[in-house]
Amino acid sequence: MRLPIMTFWLAAAVAVSGCSRETPQTGDSAPEGSAAPVAAVVEHDPFSYAEPGKVRIDDLALELAMDFDAHTLSGSATYTLDWRDGEARQLVLDTRDLDIDKVTGERGDGKWQDLEFDLAAADSRLGSKLTIQAPDRNPRIRVSYTTSPGASGLQWLTPAMTQGGKQPFMFSQSQQIHARSWVPLQDTPQVRFTYTAHVTSPDDVMVLMSADNDPDASRDGDYRFEMPQAIPSYLLAIAAGDLVFEPISERSGVWAEPDMVKKAVAEFADTEKMIQVTEKLYGPYRWGRYDLLILPPSFPYGGMENPRLTFITPTAIVGDKSLVSLIAHELAHSWSGNLVTFATPKDQWLNEGITSYVENRIVEELYGKDFATMEAAIAQNDLRASLADMDPQAQALAIRPEVEVDADSTYTAVAYDKGAWFLMFLEQRFGREAFDAFLRQYFDDFAFQSVTTSTFADYAGEHLLGKHPGKVTEAELEQWLYEPGIPDSAPVSASTQFDRVDTLRQAWLDGEGLPAKDATDAWTTQEWLHFLDSMPPTLEQAQLAELDAAYGFTGTANGEIAMRWYPLAVRSGYTRANGEIAEFLEKIGRRKLIMPTYAELVKTPEGLALAEQVLEKARAGYHPITTASVERVIAVAKGEAGAPVAE
Ligand code: BES
Ligand code: ZN
């Protein structure tokens, strides 16, 4: 017998990790009059020690001093608490590598008293559990602390590692579970809080946060921030450096180092149009300003959707706007992720899959169907390739509660590309009009709440399957959510541009010579990516040399091309590219771009030696998350560690 979707999921959740029914949190900005469905059955978050059923942080007030010599933040975090369980007398927080100085609690008479606390030994995955005794259930509690110079969620760069070379730089990357390395917190997306911050820094350094940054703020080393909308901890962000601002529109602009800012504004000039297109599809942008911050090349991701201030890799600035779907993606998170948030990182697809779908819709509106189809086809091919050597358990959108995953590796093609494909399937079956209305309503109904896959499945069951019977069966929905592989019902994105590229590539492989120059001259970056994506696993030296002579792949400034060309070169033993490979791996810290090349290098003794040599040179400039990924791949290759973890 087939169980109904929700029962099926909950049965598994209860059996393995237990679950508790929580009152859904309606944020301040939940739309008036919309009866938000009470569906938030929150599963235990395996990545946090927090006990949100007992007590929740409603507001966080940070008081931090930034020390660029010591590479630390020090000061205090003050929490305004909502004690939910009448029996609760403890506040349990997540921390990692923090030096806890003292803990105080505000009493009824307004005086602050010392509170007892216990900092447990560190767990390598979760960090150290901080248990604070609060017999009086203090309405406010304050923790005084200092971060460690090696904090996993922060990177400190010397002036020499920046573009301008004059001032130091620092930035945070809190997702997945690194906020706890710079603020003691309930580090789970089941808790949302508003925040304020007072940050001091050297005078000439500009400090920004995922809050109300003022484009006209004077640089004086003393900064105040306010974030009036409740956010989950992974969206807490800070950055500091020689940063200047240039507007794109009234509500949008770029923060970057002076040398970079004009280039970035030109590359991302369509940002305001993107906001408008998304608003038309899914309702108003609710966060005030939408600014971009351009990070140094060591930033470990392409982008991070920190509210009001998306963090962006400089590798997306290639001069021809060809990689701007990254902005569409991060902007889309203002609806899917920041507004409606996964309840635990295991439900990553709810953030990343829905966002990747919305990203493609934005791209289609702005750059046309052909372009959007090429991007969707690249993602679908990438997913097919990733599934080929992926554990079937990891291939389901909803990772079952009993399956253990590494927090930083929930970042897979399944969450992104299978997630987006699932929504394309729903759109195709229900029609664009009905599906757009559904998604818009979903964002409104669950605004400022955390949701699980079962919430989504129930909601879709009622508002799509129930409302438009006969279009999608429950079995089809279940297959997409809970089964491995790509369902037969997946609508494949077929690109005529890519068909042409396939024909030309095949002709060359068959010995008929390279495509005519006027054909390739008109190719977009996406066509080049597809040209490389569907090459055989290895090529002859002469073939690689011929491609290089014609197209200059070795040494390319386009990281998306490099991340495809270098692994092919390594697999084919094309050692002529080693110098450029080393340079690329040393300079770029974005994991998605460099890990495929490392993964190929470590497969041979010579390659492994090169990888180790590169890591030693790059280490000082790498972000802790990137260093950890590279070290893991090297250790696994040397037989020094357990199973490899997907990037
Ligand atoms: N939120 C993610 C980055 C992330 C995911 C950090 C999981 C830590 C854990 C961000 O929105 C993202 O998806 N970035 C992509 C952008 C790409 C898909 C356009 C990236 O970094 O490559
Ligand atoms: Zn994303």
Side-chain angles (χ1 to χ4, degrees), residues 131-154:
T131 308
I132 298 167
Q133 303 302 335
D136 300 331
R137 297 157 64 84
N138 311 70
R140 289 201 295 167
I141 287 181
R142 177 171 299 149
V143 176
S144 303
Y145 69 98
T146 304
T147 63
S148 128
S152 62
L154 300 177

Side-chain angles (χ1 to χ4, degrees), residues 171-316:
F171 64 89
S172 66
Q173 170 57 40
S174 296
Q175 197 181 12
Q176 211 56 269
I177 51 168
H178 300 287
R180 65 190 67 178
S181 75
W182 63 284
V183 184
L185 273 175
Q186 290 181 305
D187 200 5
T188 166
Q190 290 170 21
V191 175
R192 306 179 86 93
F193 52 85
T194 53
Y195 79 87
T196 55
H198 176 214
V199 184
T200 56
S201 72
D203 288 0
D204 48 356
V205 166
M206 185 71 211
V207 179
L208 304 170
M209 290 191 80
S210 51
D212 61 339
N213 302 294
D214 174 5
D216 300 319
S218 59
R219 262 200 228 186
D220 57 4
D222 192 300
Y223 304 95
R224 285 180 194 276
F225 303 93
E226 193 182 349
M227 183 54 177
Q229 285 134 322
I231 58 162
S233 57
Y234 76 91
L235 295 178
L236 196 62
I238 189 166
D242 185 6
L243 294 167
V244 295
F245 179 83
E246 281 278 338
I248 292 174
S249 69
E250 252 326 278
R251 59 175 162 176
S252 171
V254 173
W255 288 95
E257 285 197 64
D259 282 357
M260 190 61 125
V261 74
K262 289 240 155 34
K263 257 186 264 169
V265 167
E267 194 85 22
F268 304 135
D270 294 341
T271 303
E272 173 62 32
K273 277 192 227 149
M274 289 184 177
I275 305 174
Q276 287 173 16
V277 157
T278 326
E279 288 188 306
K280 215 171 80 201
L281 286 168
Y282 305 114
Y285 175 76
R286 305 200 201 198
W287 305 87
R289 295 196 59 81
Y290 182 74
D291 293 325
L292 306 173
L293 168 66
I294 312 302
L295 277 300
S298 67
F299 183 53
Y301 290 100
M304 179 63 215
E305 64 272 27
N306 298 315
R308 299 181 185 215
L309 185 69
T310 282
F311 284 20
I312 290 292
T313 171
T315 62

Side-chain angles (χ1 to χ4, degrees), residues 314-561:
T315 62
I317 303 171
V318 281
D320 61 4
K321 294 189 180 179
S322 64
L323 304 180
V324 296
S325 53
L326 171 66
I327 308 296
H329 179 97
E330 302 311 334
L331 171 68
H333 274 305
S334 308
W335 286 260
S336 41
N338 299 8
L339 199 56
V340 183
T341 309
F342 55 14
T344 92
K346 275 198 168 180
D347 280 324
Q348 184 73 262
W349 82 271
L350 286 170
N351 273 21
E352 299 301 343
I354 299 178
T355 292
S356 299
Y357 169 81
V358 171
E359 165 196 337
N360 200 256
R361 293 294 304 275
I362 300 172
V363 163
E364 181 186 324
E365 287 293 321
L366 246 65
Y367 307 110
K369 184 75 188 160
D370 283 355
F371 188 83
T373 302
M374 284 197 279
E375 294 226 306
I378 288 174
Q380 291 167 8
N381 290 337
D382 182 38
L383 175 65
R384 277 193 205 96
S386 311
L387 292 183
D389 48 24
M390 194 187 284
D391 177 350
Q393 286 195 319
Q395 296 185 12
L397 283 179
I399 305 172
R400 291 173 197 272
E402 68 274 21
V403 178
E404 268 209 20
V405 292
D406 178 271
D408 283 327
S409 74
T410 47
Y411 179 65
T412 70
V414 171
Y416 285 74
D417 305 329
K418 187 174 173 182
W421 212 345
F422 171 43
L423 267 69
M424 285 179 181
F425 157 76
L426 294 175
E427 181 202 309
Q428 190 210 36
R429 290 289 185 86
F430 291 102
R432 206 164 245 199
E433 205 183 318
F435 188 67
D436 284 355
F438 163 79
L439 203 52
R440 185 179 177 147
Q441 195 64 43
Y442 166 79
F443 292 141
D444 277 346
D445 282 349
F446 293 101
F448 296 98
Q449 293 184 45
S450 301
V451 292
T452 60
T453 296
S454 61
T455 314
F456 181 90
D458 286 350
Y459 191 79
E462 186 184 338
H463 295 266
L464 279 177
L465 277 66
K467 228 184 195 164
H468 310 279
K471 308 254 188 218
V472 170
T473 65
E474 205 169 85
E476 284 174 316
L477 201 64
E478 267 187 36
Q479 192 189 2
W480 273 101
L481 292 172
Y482 304 111
E483 300 296 326
I486 300 164
D488 292 339
S489 55
V492 176
S493 293
S495 155
T496 46
Q497 279 89 342
F498 283 3
D499 290 345
R500 248 174 272 142
V501 172
D502 287 337
T503 308
L504 294 170
R505 184 195 320 96
Q506 196 52 51
W508 174 67
L509 288 167
D510 292 343
E512 292 165 30
L514 285 170
K517 197 172 170 311
D518 33 323
T520 53
D521 275 354
W523 279 4
T524 57
T525 295
Q526 283 65 25
E527 284 154 299
W528 286 110
L529 302 187
H530 184 66
F531 182 66
L532 291 172
D533 272 341
S534 297
M535 284 288 177
T538 58
L539 292 174
E540 302 294 328
Q541 302 294 305
Q543 291 176 307
L544 290 156
E546 187 186 4
L547 291 176
D548 241 350
Y551 310 128
F553 289 139
T554 300
T556 173
N558 188 319
E560 292 281 346
I561 292 178

